[in-house]
Amino acid sequence: GGKSKYMVPPAATSTVRHGMMTVVSSLDNIGDDVPTILNEFGAKLENTKSPGIPVHELYIAGPTSESDLGDIAQLEKTIAGQEREMKMLGISRATVLNPIAKKDPSYFTFPHYKGYNEDPLRRNMRPTFHHLLEINRLTENFDLERLHAVGKEVQVYLGKEKGGKPMRGGPPQVVSVRGISSTPGITTYEGAER
């Protein structure tokens, strides 16, 4: 056996993150459900030490439906309307899942840094993808517009460079393609050709 090159902090000083997933009877009108859900989550966190920053995650799933939610203005208003309570609980993000029959679910993410309003760059993106694809690094330097991409594992963005002085023709633009692959052999030349 060997030693890990990564330092593992002692459990006493580690940040403990908690998550809660709940299923509601309908996503059409969850206004009455959200305060109850937050009370339940708060009860589970009652005897835990608060790290002082938002680290916990809340997932709300609806029943399987035949279609996407369409306009989510009411859903966003409901989630953002609980900002005070969610901050007190240390919730980093709330994610709403809309399971669609015979299709991938729709995802709507409401992060704390946006006041629990939906982040359109994360729409229909699995909750961990944002971090794995390092979207935050792109948003540091570019104003991003998400473009349509074929496949659920790939994201395509048009980025306009932030800051700087006004330029003739507008700010420089880049196209960024980010993706995740679990294909065996992708790191070999032959695997990359597939």
Side-chain angles (χ1 to χ4, degrees):
K3 291 186 175 180
S4 171
K5 66 179 182 177
Y6 301 104
M7 185 183 110
V8 179
T13 60
S14 295
T15 299
V16 177
R17 299 169 187 262
H18 294 275
M20 179 176 162
M21 181 165 190
T22 186
V23 179
V24 295
S25 60
S26 171
L27 290 174
D28 293 329
N29 185 9
I30 65 167
D32 294 336
D33 295 329
V34 174
T36 304
I37 292 167
L38 294 176
N39 285 337
E40 288 176 19
F41 199 8
K44 293 181 187 305
L45 297 173
E46 197 169 296
N47 294 321
T48 62
K49 179 183 169 194
S50 171
I53 57 172
V55 295
H56 307 308
E57 297 182 14
L58 175 63
Y59 299 92
I60 302 172
T64 301
S65 65
E66 295 299 319
S67 64
D68 204 351
L69 290 178
D71 182 21
I72 64 151
Q74 186 59 42
L75 177 62
E76 183 175 51
K77 184 178 176 184
T78 298
I79 301 289
Q82 298 294 320
E83 180 179 13
R84 183 174 163 271
E85 291 78 3
M86 291 173 67
K87 280 186 175 179
M88 285 183 0
L89 292 173
I91 294 175
S92 171
R93 73 172 177 240
T95 301
V96 176
L97 293 83
N98 179 41
I100 302 173
K102 300 180 183 177
K103 291 185 178 182
D104 290 324
S106 296
Y107 296 94
F108 306 94
T109 302
F110 306 87
H112 78 280
Y113 64 85
K114 288 194 169 280
Y116 300 101
N117 288 292
E118 191 210 6
D119 183 351
L121 291 178
R122 295 185 186 203
R123 168 112 16 129
N124 293 328
M125 189 184 294
R126 293 179 188 167
T128 58
F129 274 24
H130 187 264
H131 300 291
L132 293 172
L133 298 175
E134 297 181 329
I135 304 302
N136 279 351
R137 291 187 64 196
L138 283 176
T139 60
E140 288 174 9
N141 298 315
F142 299 98
D143 291 319
L144 297 178
E145 175 188 344
R146 192 164 154 191
L147 305 174
H148 176 73
V150 177
K152 61 183 178 182
E153 310 293 332
V154 176
Q155 306 292 324
V156 181
Y157 299 95
L158 175 64
K160 293 182 184 173
E161 195 170 325
K162 289 181 177 180
K165 51 188 168 184
M167 302 178 101
R168 186 175 186 187
Q173 297 180 344
V174 298
V175 173
S176 282
V177 179
R178 300 282 172 114
I180 296 176
S181 176
S182 54
T183 304
I186 192 71
T187 57
T188 66
Y189 181 76
E190 293 80 18
E193 286 282 313
R194 281 194 265 161

